[in-house]
Amino acid sequence: MIDVARRAGVGLGTVSRVVNGGHGVRDETAQRVRTAIEQLGFQRNEVARALRPGKKSSSLALVLGDLTNPFFATIAKASLEVAGQSGFAVVLGSVDEDPEGEKRAIQELVSRQVAGLMIVPDQGDHAFLVGAGVPVVFVDRPATGIEADIVMVDNEGGGKLATDHLLEQGHERIAILLAPSYYTTGRRLRGYRRAHRGAGLEVDESLVVQLPEGNAESAEKATRELMLRPDPPTAIFASTNFLTEGVLRALGELGLEPAVVGFDDFRLADMLPTPVTVVASDIAELGRSAARLLLDRASGADRRPPQRIVLPCALIQRGSGERPPSASKRKPR
Amino acid sequence: MIDVARRAGVGLGTVSRVVNGGHGVRDETAQRVRTAIEQLGFQRNEVARALRPGKKSSSLALVLGDLTNPFFATIAKASLEVAGQSGFAVVLGSVDEDPEGEKRAIQELVSRQVAGLMIVPDQGDHAFLVGAGVPVVFVDRPATGIEADIVMVDNEGGGKLATDHLLEQGHERIAILLAPSYYTTGRRLRGYRRAHRGAGLEVDESLVVQLPEGNAESAEKATRELMLRPDPPTAIFASTNFLTEGVLRALGELGLEPAVVGFDDFRLADMLPTPVTVVASDIAELGRSAARLLLDRASGADRRPPQRIVLPCALIQRGSGERPPSASKRKPR
DNA sequence: TTGAAAGCGCTAACAG
DNA sequence: CTGTTAGCGCTTTCAA
């Protein structure tokens, strides 16, 4: 930058002013500076820029679990787009491990002076973020120990939607598969219960299956056990995209066809032997909202108390969720 | 940091030394410093650290297209893991647009003083990176205008593998669907041609389909047209995961069952009505290798001339690729 | 409108 | 071994 100043025969401050919008600089001078910048191929050093006290870097951090899960990937992509439009980069935090790992990753990112954090929180207390002086937006699920913005989907409503739909088909024995202790899981279960209550039905607690892990394998195993019971359910509500996959895999092997509704849409859901009915929401919007909110917080444009944005869910009927209770017998062939 | 120094009653330099491994500091002093750090909750400011001349930040940049494509997501995740293990963060570049957008994104990242760049390049010249003074590793496809490390899969070999397999089933009219002008696309086509040559067969150029876009819709449309010709192929080689999806969608609607082999494995490929045979490679390893290589370049540990890492492809037989030519008639029901 | 100068938090070179 | 000091590239007063 100092080179540019010399080249243009102006002071350092002037160059800085031009680079930052050029207010309070005579047009002619500004032009001269711009020419010098051009000639020298100068590019502002964002790092030095962010060194200024108070000033944060023009990057947001995104901390999430498994990018390989289309759900997270969609959030990442969407937030990336919004951030990019405002000239912000997104730094990714790798967190596939323990909650300790998440904390470490977050602190790493904070030490990089990011302008804000978007976090899809795992369990664990996030109180350590309180004094960090960085705006935080939680995505998909709230965190404990800290008041902050949160963008999520209507999990309870979605759970009710799915369950109501199955109840309407006449199902009375509806199993629900739950990934371990996610916040979302609890809300979806609550919707499930509420639907039953609304229909005047008692929930058979043996049909509420808490899985040890949130992956497809775990769901597959549980489904197999579930369907081989003496009194199997006639319908299954899989509360997560990966769980849905496991359920379908088990059913395929077993040759059984209870009704199935999944939570969260997924690629190829409509191309499986029986197209899969799901409760879906606009995941990309989740990411977009989070990024927008965070950007506004970071710039100081938004000083409202912590917001809570809840996106609606919708039922997408494709076939698997419309099977009547009688279909859950052994498959023809 | 200055607070820490005061608190511990030592000089600034000493604190710095402790923070950076503590070589050349008496144990007792170091301990005192560590205590102070603990008490003050001090965290090194990575930004200031990276300001040092020559020193780069402890972040790598990853520039790729659509994170929503599991292929890219897998690369991102894998490189994130490797980088994270070395204490590096990964900054993501959003590039879903024109090659101009890619250039802009890359320069943005360079201005953030990243220690290295991993780029899944789109078309367009990358010569502008030559003088950037940042190590670059290209992923999945090489770029023009610059000599740099490249990590990719054996596209030609994979293309040959897929085609050979279909030829072995007795197919003689094998269509190949190609996404527009990707480098990879050309290599896969080359493998396709080589396989034909090896079998002493002439390629019917009307079966080499260049799609206008690389998405599923485009492939779906093309497949429909292809299969409704008077002389349809008895097998289709879809050179990309999204293309494979489009092909299957079209075939499902048409009720036709030519043999199908896809390039790149994808989730649920084994659960579709006819499980899909694919040529697959270890995508995660692609990301891991890229990150490792870049890290070594960035640290100066690796001074070899530009490397070229090629990962092998393997055929995964699942059914769709093992149909005989005779199966391509209209489906029973 | 512009130039000069004071740092931002840290590392590295140099004395002590 | 340890304290001091000079910047890194930029923004931002403060004068001129």
Side-chain angles (χ1 to χ4, degrees):
Chain A
M1 188 155 179
I2 190 162
D3 298 332
V4 175
R6 260 203 290 274
R7 192 93 145 94
V10 301
L12 199 54
T14 306
V15 178
S16 174
R17 273 176 285 242
V18 171
V19 171
N20 295 295
H23 289 302
V25 178
R26 211 190 326 153
D27 244 21
E28 185 207 292
T29 318
Q31 204 41 255
R32 201 141 39 90
V33 172
R34 269 190 285 270
T35 310
I37 289 180
E38 193 77 26
Q39 293 175 338
L40 270 56
F42 166 80
Q43 258 201 284
R44 175 172 59 194
N45 182 329
E46 288 292 332
V47 171
R49 184 178 160 75
L51 192 56
R52 235 65 242 307
K55 279 270 177 192
K56 290 291 174 179
S57 78
S58 59
S59 328
L60 302 181
L62 174 59
V63 181
L64 36 58
D66 180 4
L67 256 186
T68 267
N69 185 335
F71 179 84
F72 292 130
T74 304
I75 291 175
K77 182 189 178 190
S79 57
L80 206 62
E81 270 173 19
V82 172
Q85 281 162 13
S86 300
F88 276 69
V90 174
V91 190
L92 236 48
S94 58
V95 186
D96 226 356
E97 327 133 38
D98 44 326
E100 241 355 89
E102 176 175 333
K103 180 171 174 185
R104 237 197 338 273
I106 291 176
Q107 289 179 326
E108 276 270 321
L109 292 168
V110 171
S111 80
R112 285 180 166 79
Q113 314 297 111
V114 292
L117 292 158
M118 293 179 279
I119 305 179
V120 184
D122 212 14
Q123 290 110 270
D125 198 54
H126 288 254
F128 65 93
L129 274 170
V130 178
V134 185
V136 178
V137 174
F138 289 101
V139 184
D140 189 45
R141 35 212 200 225
T144 59
I146 179 172
E147 279 280 300
D149 293 312
I150 158 84
V151 184
M152 53 187 200
V153 304
D154 180 10
N155 289 292
E156 182 169 345
K160 180 159 189 307
L161 204 56
T163 314
D164 275 341
H165 183 64
L166 290 169
L167 289 169
E168 279 163 23
Q169 317 291 313
H171 293 279
E172 298 194 338
R173 294 187 56 70
I174 306 172
I176 178 170
L177 263 54
L178 299 162
S181 60
Y182 290 146
Y183 165 87
T184 50
T185 273
R187 309 301 290 193
R188 290 168 194 180
L189 174 57
R190 192 183 284 210
Y192 167 89
R193 291 195 190 283
R194 198 145 62 81
H196 278 79
R197 209 172 311 127
L201 254 68
E202 192 105 359
V203 169
D204 177 348
E205 293 300 331
S206 79
L207 295 180
V208 176
V209 183
Q210 283 287 354
L211 301 173
E213 289 180 272
N215 55 27
E217 292 68 39
S218 182
E220 183 177 349
K221 182 155 168 285
T223 302
R224 207 176 292 125
E225 288 169 9
L226 198 57
M227 297 307 294
L228 294 178
R229 287 185 192 173
D231 56 346
T234 64
I236 301 180
F237 173 27
S239 68
T240 260
N241 55 359
F242 282 177
L243 299 190
T244 308
E245 181 183 329
V247 168
L248 297 173
R249 189 155 267 143
L251 295 180
E253 287 162 15
L254 256 35
L256 294 175
E257 290 196 329
V260 174
V261 175
F263 202 111
D264 280 335
D265 203 2
F266 55 94
R267 193 145 199 138
L268 300 182
D270 59 330
M271 289 185 63
L272 295 178
T274 303
V276 185
T277 296
V278 297
V279 168
S281 45
D282 189 347
I283 308 303
E285 184 55 30
L286 212 57
R288 267 182 252 121
S289 302
R292 270 196 295 262
L293 192 50
L294 189 53
L295 249 14
D296 284 347
R297 293 294 194 189
S299 71
D302 191 340
R303 305 186 161 290
R304 294 175 298 173
Q307 297 294 300
R308 178 192 185 81
I309 300 181
V310 179
L311 270 38
C313 292
L315 185 75
I316 303 181
Q317 305 190 22
R318 295 212 182 93
S320 75
E322 289 69 48
R323 294 179 185 133
S326 57
S328 66
K329 309 281 155 59
R330 198 157 290 273
K331 223 184 185 174
R333 55 188 184 92
Chain B
M1 188 154 176
I2 191 162
D3 298 333
V4 175
R6 260 203 291 273
R7 192 95 147 91
V10 302
L12 200 53
T14 306
V15 178
S16 174
R17 272 176 287 243
V18 172
V19 171
N20 295 295
H23 289 301
V25 180
R26 211 191 325 154
D27 244 20
E28 186 207 292
T29 317
Q31 204 40 254
R32 202 141 38 89
V33 172
R34 268 190 285 271
T35 311
I37 289 180
E38 192 80 25
Q39 293 174 336
L40 270 56
F42 166 81
Q43 257 201 283
R44 175 172 60 194
N45 182 330
E46 287 292 331
V47 171
R49 183 179 161 75
L51 193 56
R52 236 65 242 309
K55 279 269 175 192
K56 289 291 175 179
S57 78
S58 59
S59 328
L60 302 181
L62 174 59
V63 181
L64 35 59
D66 181 4
L67 257 185
T68 267
N69 185 335
F71 178 83
F72 292 128
T74 304
I75 291 176
K77 182 190 178 189
S79 56
L80 206 61
E81 270 172 19
V82 173
Q85 280 162 14
S86 299
F88 276 69
V90 174
V91 190
L92 236 48
S94 57
V95 188
D96 225 357
E97 327 133 36
D98 44 326
E100 243 352 271
E102 176 175 333
K103 180 170 174 185
R104 238 198 336 274
I106 292 177
Q107 289 179 326
E108 276 271 321
L109 293 168
V110 171
S111 80
R112 285 181 167 77
Q113 312 299 110
V114 293
L117 292 158
M118 292 180 279
I119 305 180
V120 184
D122 212 15
Q123 291 109 270
D125 198 54
H126 287 253
F128 66 92
L129 275 170
V130 179
V134 185
V136 178
V137 174
F138 290 101
V139 184
D140 188 46
R141 35 211 199 225
T144 58
I146 180 172
E147 279 281 299
D149 293 313
I150 158 85
V151 184
M152 54 188 201
V153 304
D154 180 10
N155 290 292
E156 183 169 345
K160 180 159 187 311
L161 204 56
T163 314
D164 275 341
H165 183 63
L166 290 169
L167 290 168
E168 278 162 23
Q169 316 293 313
H171 292 279
E172 300 195 336
R173 295 186 55 72
I174 305 173
I176 179 170
L177 263 53
L178 299 162
S181 60
Y182 289 146
Y183 165 86
T184 51
T185 273
R187 310 301 290 193
R188 290 168 195 180
L189 174 57
R190 193 183 284 210
Y192 167 90
R193 290 194 190 284
R194 198 146 61 80
H196 278 79
R197 209 172 311 128
L201 255 67
E202 191 105 359
V203 169
D204 177 348
E205 294 300 332
S206 79
L207 295 179
V208 176
V209 184
Q210 284 287 353
L211 302 173
E213 290 181 89
N215 55 28
E217 291 68 38
S218 182
E220 183 177 348
K221 181 155 168 285
T223 302
R224 207 175 293 125
E225 287 167 10
L226 200 56
M227 297 307 294
L228 294 179
R229 288 185 193 174
D231 54 347
T234 64
I236 300 180
F237 173 26
S239 68
T240 262
N241 55 1
F242 282 178
L243 299 190
T244 308
E245 181 184 328
V247 168
L248 296 173
R249 190 155 268 143
L251 295 180
E253 288 162 15
L254 256 35
L256 294 175
E257 290 196 330
V260 175
V261 175
F263 202 109
D264 282 334
D265 203 3
F266 55 94
R267 193 144 199 137
L268 301 181
D270 60 329
M271 289 186 63
L272 295 179
T274 303
V276 185
T277 295
V278 296
V279 169
S281 44
D282 189 346
I283 308 302
E285 183 55 30
L286 212 57
R288 267 182 251 119
S289 303
R292 270 196 294 262
L293 193 50
L294 190 53
L295 249 14
D296 285 346
R297 293 295 195 187
S299 72
D302 189 342
R303 305 185 160 290
R304 296 173 298 173
Q307 298 294 300
R308 179 192 185 80
I309 300 180
V310 178
L311 269 38
C313 292
L315 185 75
I316 304 180
Q317 305 189 22
R318 294 213 182 91
S320 75
E322 289 69 50
R323 294 179 185 135
S326 58
S328 66
K329 309 280 155 59
R330 199 156 288 274
K331 225 184 188 173
R333 56 189 182 93

